[in-house]
């Protein structure tokens, strides 16, 4: 009896992961195609927004592929490696770059539109 409950919960979790992956692809495409109006999590220079968007597209695709492979009985493969070695550094690096760009903008605004303090 408990095996069937576990199977149902596993399928619900798998379905949630596929939906989450598709949501990441949608959010990433939005950032890549409209870098001047990015989603709220990342704001900054166009290159940073596009890098973040590309990372989220790759994350979504890798999540969907990995979930489907695991649902069909396969083992963890290249999708997990893509998430670990490509997507992680790309997304984290672009978030750090966005924070640095925001900090520079605030500093410039505080010092009088880019002029140095005397």
């Amino acid at each position: 009896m408990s095996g069937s409950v576990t199977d149902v919960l596993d399928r619900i979790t798998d379905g949630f992961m596929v939906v989450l992956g598709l949501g990441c692809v949608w959010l990433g495409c939005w950032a890549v195609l409209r870098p001047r109006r990015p989603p709220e999590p990342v704001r900054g220079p166009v290159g940073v927004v596009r890098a973040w968007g590309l990372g989220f597209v790759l994350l979504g695709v890798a999540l969907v592929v990995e979930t489907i492979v695991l649902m069909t009985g396969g083992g963890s493969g290249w999708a997990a490696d893509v998430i670990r070695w490509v997507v992680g550094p790309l997304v984290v690096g672009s978030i750090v770059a966005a924070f640095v760009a925001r900090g520079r903008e605030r500093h410039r605004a505080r010092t009088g539109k880019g002029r140095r303090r005397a």
Side-chain angles (χ1 to χ4, degrees), residues 19-116:
V19 170
L20 184 68
L22 293 174
C24 287
V25 169
W26 174 77
L27 195 62
C29 285
W30 181 15
V32 169
L33 298 176
R34 296 181 180 165
R36 304 246 183 253
R37 294 184 308 168
E40 188 59 36
V42 66
R43 300 223 185 248
V46 172
V48 170
V49 173
R50 284 200 170 132
W52 182 86
L54 179 63
F56 258 66
V57 168
L58 290 174
L59 175 65
V61 169
L63 276 175
V64 169
V65 168
E66 183 76 11
T67 302
I68 290 173
V69 166
L70 291 175
M71 282 173 59
T72 58
S76 182
W78 63 267
D81 293 335
V82 167
I83 291 172
R84 182 179 302 119
W85 298 109
V86 177
V87 173
L90 191 60
V91 170
V92 170
S94 63
I95 289 172
V96 168
F99 279 128
V100 168
R102 285 183 198 171
R104 286 183 179 173
E105 281 181 20
R106 280 191 294 247
H107 180 71
R108 283 188 194 126
R110 207 177 21 210
T111 59
K113 297 186 180 180
R115 294 181 307 192
R116 290 201 157 272

